[in-house]
Amino acid sequence: MRDLTPYQSARRLGGNGDVWLNANEFPLPVPFELSQNTLNRYPECQPKLVIERYARYAGLQPDQVLVSRGADEGIELLMRAFCEPGKDAILFCPPTYGMYSVSAETIGIEYRTVAATDNWQLNLPAIAEQLDGVKLVYMCSPNNPTGNLISADDIRQLLEMTRGKALLIADEAYIEFCPQATLASWLAEYPHLVILRTLSKAFALAGLRCGFTLANPPVIDLLMKVIAPYPLSTPVADIAGQALSDDGITLMRQHVAQLNDNRQWLIDALRQCACVEQVFASETNYVLARFSDSPTIFKTLWDQGIILRDQNKQPGLAGCLRISIGTRDECERVIAALQLLSGASREHA
Ligand SMILES: *Cc1c(COP(=O)(O)O)cnc(C)c1O
């Protein structure tokens, strides 16, 4: 534990920003009022209304849904339920989300990595060679921080490769930004498929800490053995239930449409900036871009209160920064700051 590096969450990294574009949060708060006054009582372990509403939203049955303290808790529950420390392993494909390795390290489970291909798809032959002893394969689609979807044909091949051996965990934290790509309907075909979801991104509720694991009942039943007796507090369940009402889902979809518009605006504007070398396509509420001098750009924007996410240390992402899609005003502030920098470097040259 002494050598372990904790997850470098956006909040831990600090900064005195007023434009927070480093954690893929929704840029504005959505107001809620508590409807329950029963804090003297313990909450339900799996609040019925939340489970029923999420199942309906995902097109599944309630016994295929588990709710937890964010998708992050789902990531860890799966390891605790399906991996024996010192014996089993997990596998994932960097560059990707940082919590798979952090959770594995804290629980003492070996993790294996198979680098994504040049276009950030699965390297299936290399994965096949590494599967011995692997119980869980984590696959993020659309992937954080690159923003791309994983090819559906490749996912099918991976599911065939892992059948009877390992669970495939599809992290769909950003699926609301490309809902057609969900694997939820594949659960009927694959008993070893598991899907992670969250209210933290498109639903604008990162502070609520509420996420979902979607799987077939035998997998859900095993997770129910390791989950805490009261994973969600009563106010969390109350607000999650409201967010998953018909009105809540309609509002979320309006927000997604706005962010998708802002994303297109930001991508077009980034491509006009002299300091931007490459802007990658995105199916999410963030954009990854490669800059000619990313440390200076990161620092200059930071000093102006515009906080981005540095991805330099991820394999294959040298010079890359990730920018969450904020309000149009926030996107404009990023571009204005970058244009000033581009102007400055042109004067130098
Ligand atoms: C944000 C994120 C999560 C964590 O979601 P929480 O529900 O806030 O814990 C999981 N996976 C990916 C890929 C994410 O980007």
Side-chain angles (χ1 to χ4, degrees):
M1 282 299 154
R2 288 184 201 273
D3 296 331
L4 203 143
T5 314
Y7 182 71
Q8 299 295 306
S9 74
R11 285 293 162 273
R12 269 190 188 175
L13 287 167
N16 284 321
D18 59 345
V19 180
W20 290 98
L21 302 179
N22 65 343
N24 301 339
E25 296 151 329
F26 189 74
L28 298 169
V30 176
F32 286 98
E33 271 174 38
L34 295 181
S35 70
Q36 310 246 3
N37 210 341
T38 56
L39 292 181
N40 58 316
R41 300 293 175 196
Y42 280 110
E44 289 175 271
C45 177
Q46 294 289 293
K48 197 162 177 282
L49 182 73
V50 175
I51 294 288
E52 282 177 358
R53 287 194 171 166
Y54 202 85
R56 198 162 76 113
Y57 163 66
L60 298 171
Q61 296 303 313
D63 63 0
Q64 294 174 294
V65 179
L66 182 97
V67 63
S68 62
R69 178 176 29 78
D72 280 351
E73 188 181 25
I75 290 170
E76 189 175 306
L77 284 174
L78 284 156
M79 292 183 202
R80 286 174 44 215
F82 292 97
C83 297
E84 202 174 310
K87 180 163 166 261
D88 301 324
I90 67 155
L91 185 149
F92 55 88
C93 302
T96 192
Y97 186 52
M99 279 305 288
Y100 312 137
S101 62
V102 169
S103 285
E105 281 188 329
T106 55
I107 310 177
I109 295 166
E110 178 199 343
Y111 67 86
R112 287 188 208 150
T113 58
V114 174
T117 61
D118 286 346
N119 57 347
W120 294 322
Q121 293 297 318
L122 301 172
N123 184 341
L124 289 169
I127 293 174
E129 281 187 10
Q130 293 290 321
L131 275 184
D132 236 16
V134 167
K135 290 289 174 66
L136 304 172
V137 176
Y138 287 85
M139 176 202 69
C140 189
S141 182
N143 187 41
N144 180 3
T146 54
N148 63 290
L149 284 166
I150 305 298
S151 140
D153 286 344
D154 287 358
I155 298 173
R156 285 224 185 257
Q157 287 192 48
L158 185 55
L159 280 162
E160 291 309 332
M161 198 188 286
T162 49
R163 197 191 277 277
K165 293 185 194 147
L167 297 184
L168 177 64
I169 322 298
D171 188 337
E172 293 191 346
Y174 299 95
I175 203 66
E176 282 79 12
F177 299 95
C178 48
Q180 76 293 344
T182 181
L183 304 182
S185 67
W186 295 22
L187 285 172
E189 270 175 88
Y190 298 102
H192 59 304
L193 174 62
V194 178
I195 298 168
L196 296 171
R197 297 280 193 85
T198 181
L199 298 188
S200 295
K201 309 290 167 44
F203 280 92
L205 290 171
L208 190 65
R209 310 308 303 127
C210 186
F212 297 87
T213 303
L214 313 178
N216 284 295
V219 173
I220 298 291
D221 290 347
L222 282 166
L223 295 174
M224 281 299 291
K225 295 189 181 193
V226 295
I227 198 167
Y230 314 109
L232 304 194
S233 70
T234 302
V236 169
D238 186 355
I239 292 169
Q242 296 177 43
L244 293 165
S245 66
D246 289 343
D247 286 353
I249 290 169
T250 302
L251 183 66
M252 177 277 286
R253 290 191 173 128
Q254 288 166 1
H255 288 158
V256 165
Q258 280 166 16
L259 288 187
N260 286 348
D261 274 357
N262 289 353
R263 181 181 70 213
Q264 196 50 53
W265 184 91
L266 183 71
I267 288 176
D268 292 344
L270 283 170
R271 292 199 165 124
Q272 306 295 315
C273 292
C275 60
V276 177
E277 287 179 353
Q278 197 173 4
V279 186
F280 297 98
S282 170
E283 304 282 344
T284 64
N285 67 334
Y286 52 87
V287 169
L288 188 75
R290 184 168 273 131
F291 294 83
S292 44
D293 180 6
S294 77
T296 305
I297 286 165
F298 182 79
K299 173 78 168 52
T300 309
L301 267 64
W302 174 287
D303 290 341
Q304 294 174 32
I306 304 170
I307 314 296
L308 310 184
R309 187 80 162 179
D310 186 3
Q311 297 292 343
N312 261 288
K313 294 212 176 69
Q314 287 247 38
L317 300 190
C320 289
L321 303 176
R322 192 193 67 193
I323 310 171
S324 305
I325 307 302
T327 60
R328 182 61 63 93
D329 184 56
E330 290 173 324
C331 294
E332 286 173 2
R333 283 201 40 198
V334 170
I335 294 301
L338 290 176
Q339 281 169 344
L340 270 179
L341 268 164
S342 302
S345 66
R346 257 199 300 277
E347 277 160 34
H348 261 273

